[in-house]
Amino acid sequence: MSTTDLTSAPTELDRTIAETDPDVARLIAAERDRQEHTLELIASENHTSPAVMAAMGTCLTNKYAEGYPGKRYYGGCTFHDEIEELARERAKRLFKCQFANVQPHSGAQANMAVFLALLQQGDTFASLVLADGGHLSHGMKLNFSGKYFNAVHYPLIYDLDDPRFEQIDYDAVRDVCMEHKPAMILCGYSAYPRVIDFARFRAIADECGALLMADIAHIAGLVAAGVHPSPFPHAHIVTTTTHKTLRGPRGGLILTNDEDIAKKIDRAVFPGVQGGPLMHVIAAKAVAFHEALQTSFTDYAKQVVANAQALAGALVGKGYRLVSGGTDNHLMLVDLRGKDADLTGADAERWLEQAGIITNKNGVPKDPRKPMYTSGLRLGTPALTTRGLKENELQLVAELIDRVLDAKGDETVCAQVRQDVVDLCERFPMPH
Ligand SMILES: *Cc1c(COP(=O)(O)O)cnc(C)c1O
């Protein structure tokens, strides 16, 4: 197939939308073609199954179901009660915990509900700063978490001679927490390639009298499959998204083993920060949890990590420096300066996109460049693994990335790589 002819056949859904709105139908079809014919390396993205997607496109979106199963503020919720109950039961089974709230519209909404439930305005909490791999809902100044709460940040290890360079500095976490006595310690990140020691965090939380919150938005699928240690029984409260490694619909989820916390969380989600739940999305979460409970999902999660290691190894072999030297999970941060002192994340992201390789620029710890440029590139393997790529193909992906960056985005080289990308995409189609 040529790169100029990338339209796939319209689906029944395309035709239905096109009958009413050809403009939106055309854009959705174009986006599907884009996804179909590019390599998705954004660490927070994935390709859901057709069943997950189908559940979202149903009549469930018509219904108001404010409240919780058995305690709704609207009539006609019989089946919605059953759907939400199924989603909750499956979430609990998947993460081996006692309470689940499946209503948060997103990961940030889930975090907002936790802050509302467990902290008072102005309370101090400890987290990793955005620039070191944290999330904006962990205390960024413009976010509710930084605006209405007092964030103190714990560091990574910045000493080059330390073998744990750029990993969490647990001794310093303890120091920061003993000094500031936060009401809550937040662990779990957006751009951290190493295993998180939840037990160590809990010991620190106990010592300074804080609650421990684990935000496993990125690693939820790995945790569910047992490929990354679980935050339970260490964390008092766990939040996650459902659309990253967990491969479900775009949404949030809150988990705990503490009944008292669970009650506060339910009230904080509704009516605290949300109105009616997105029941079509909750149904899709139930489908995704069902999928994640299968042994095939364990195989998937293992392959995600094996693929990340293959990609990381190949990039290091080509002279790239990875933050912390490598990865234990699904993602890695490439410090582009190790290859070429002038190369920015913004350039790399743009050039790679021209070649059909989709990534995101990302700051590296102590990055001297502004967030719009950055010195790093974040790469993840969840989406490519869903398409069936394995270690050999990830080595090829490393070569394609290197060809583009080595040629500094030369148009001819990008066009050649673009063709190789399309060939690879044709061999490994998106789930249909
Ligand atoms: C992605 C992410 C979130 C937020 O998810 P949204 O659904 O985009 O709101 C929260 N925390 C962490 C650590 C994340 O990586």
Side-chain angles (χ1 to χ4, degrees), residues 87 102-105 242 249-253 281-290:
V102 296
Q103 292 193 3
H105 299 335
T242 48
R250 193 155 286 281
L253 170 68
V281 176
I282 289 174
K285 287 175 185 172
V287 174
F289 299 154
H290 173 73

Side-chain angles (χ1 to χ4, degrees), residues 44 105-111 133-138 186-191 213 215-219 239-244 250-252 378:
S44 51
H105 299 335
S106 74
Q109 296 279 105
N111 290 349
H135 188 258
L136 56 92
S137 62
H138 298 183
L186 224 165
C187 62
Y189 316 101
S190 299
M213 166 177 170
D215 175 351
I216 59 167
H218 259 266
I219 55 173
T239 61
T240 182
T241 60
T242 48
H243 51 274
K244 299 180 182 176
R250 193 155 286 281
R378 192 182 64 163

Side-chain angles (χ1 to χ4, degrees), residues 153-156 169-178 200 204:
H153 298 299
Y154 51 76
L156 302 174
D169 188 341
Y170 291 95
D171 292 331
V173 174
R174 183 183 172 277
D175 292 345
V176 167
C177 292
M178 291 309 283
R200 186 88 190 266
I204 296 166

Side-chain angles (χ1 to χ4, degrees), residues 331-349:
L331 69 79
M332 66 211 69
L333 263 181
V334 185
D335 182 350
L336 298 162
R337 297 169 303 179
K339 181 79 172 181
D340 171 350
D342 296 327
L343 186 55
T344 68
D347 281 336
E349 178 191 305

Side-chain angles (χ1 to χ4, degrees), residues 4 14 21 39-40 42-43 71 95 104 120 124 127 160 171 175-176 199 245 247 252 269 279 336 347 371 409:
T4 52
D14 290 341
D21 189 337
L39 294 174
E40 185 54 72
I42 294 178
K71 293 169 285 190
F95 290 98
Q120 297 297 320
T124 297
S127 67
L160 250 168
D171 292 331
D175 292 345
V176 167
T245 51
R247 212 163 63 180
V269 173
M279 292 308 302
L336 298 162
D347 281 336

